[in-house]
Amino acid sequence: WEPANIERRVREVIKISKLWIYKGNDLAVDAVDILITFLTKNDIRGIGGKKITIIGAGNIGSKLALFLVERGGRVFLTRRNKTKLKQIVKTINTIKPNYTHEKVHAVQNNYEASKSADVLIGCTNGVPIITTKMIKSLNENAIIIDVGKGTVSRDAVLFAEKNNIPIYRVDITAAFEGFIKKSFIIEKMIKKNIGKKIISGEKIISGGLLAGL
C-alpha cells in the first residue's frame, strides 16, 4: 500500500493546462493572519503583547501559533492530547526566532486559556468548542475567528449576536488571490528577469541567479 500522491496523479493527467500547486491549510493560515492584521491596524502595537488563544493545535492551529508568536503575540494553544500539545508547543518555541520574546503556552482547559484573551481562534474540525462562557471571559472588543467551520456553539453565536459581538469566519479569498498573483510574478521573473549576460567582458546576473555562471 502506498499513500496517494494527488499532485503526481494530476501531473500525469494534465498535459496542456498550467498547473500551480497550493495547500488549502496554508491559505487558511495566511487568511487569518491577514484578517487579524486588518482588524488591529489602528493599534500601534498591532498584535504585539496581545493574548491570543487558539483552540485546537492541529495543522492549522499549530502553524498559526508560530505565525502569531513571531509577530509578538502571547499565544495560548490547546489540545485534548496533552502529550502532543506539549511536543507541539516545545517545537514552536524552539524554532521561533531568538529575538521573539513572547512564547507559546500549552493549556489543557479551553476556558482557562480563553480568559482575558484579545483574540480567540477556533481551529477544531467543525467541533463547536467555543462556548458562551468563553466569550464572556474575553477582553472587551476581542476578536473571535471561526477557522474550523462550526467551532462556535449555537448558544455562543446567539449570545454574540444579542450583544453585538462580531464573529468572523475565515475566508481564503484574499490569500488565494495573493497566491495567484505571486505565481504569475514568479513565472514572469523566471522567464524574463532571471538571466545573465556578458557586458564589456564582465558577467552580469539579475533576478537572483547565482549558480552556473
Side-chain angles (χ1 to χ4, degrees), residues 25-44:
N25 281 0
D26 290 350
L27 291 182
V29 171
D30 196 27
V32 174
D33 186 50
I34 294 169
L35 176 61
I36 294 176
T37 299
F38 176 79
L39 294 175
T40 59
K41 63 185 175 62
N42 294 324
D43 189 328
I44 193 170

Side-chain angles (χ1 to χ4, degrees), residues 111 120 128-136 151-153 155-156 159:
Y111 172 69
L120 176 61
I129 201 72
I130 296 177
T131 65
T132 301
K133 183 179 180 182
M134 290 165 63
I135 293 179
K136 287 181 178 179
T151 62
V152 186
S153 70
D155 289 344
F159 172 80

Side-chain angles (χ1 to χ4, degrees), residues 156-168:
V157 170
L158 293 175
F159 172 80
E161 183 179 13
K162 182 179 179 181
N163 291 274
N164 296 316
I165 301 172
I167 298 176
Y168 299 91

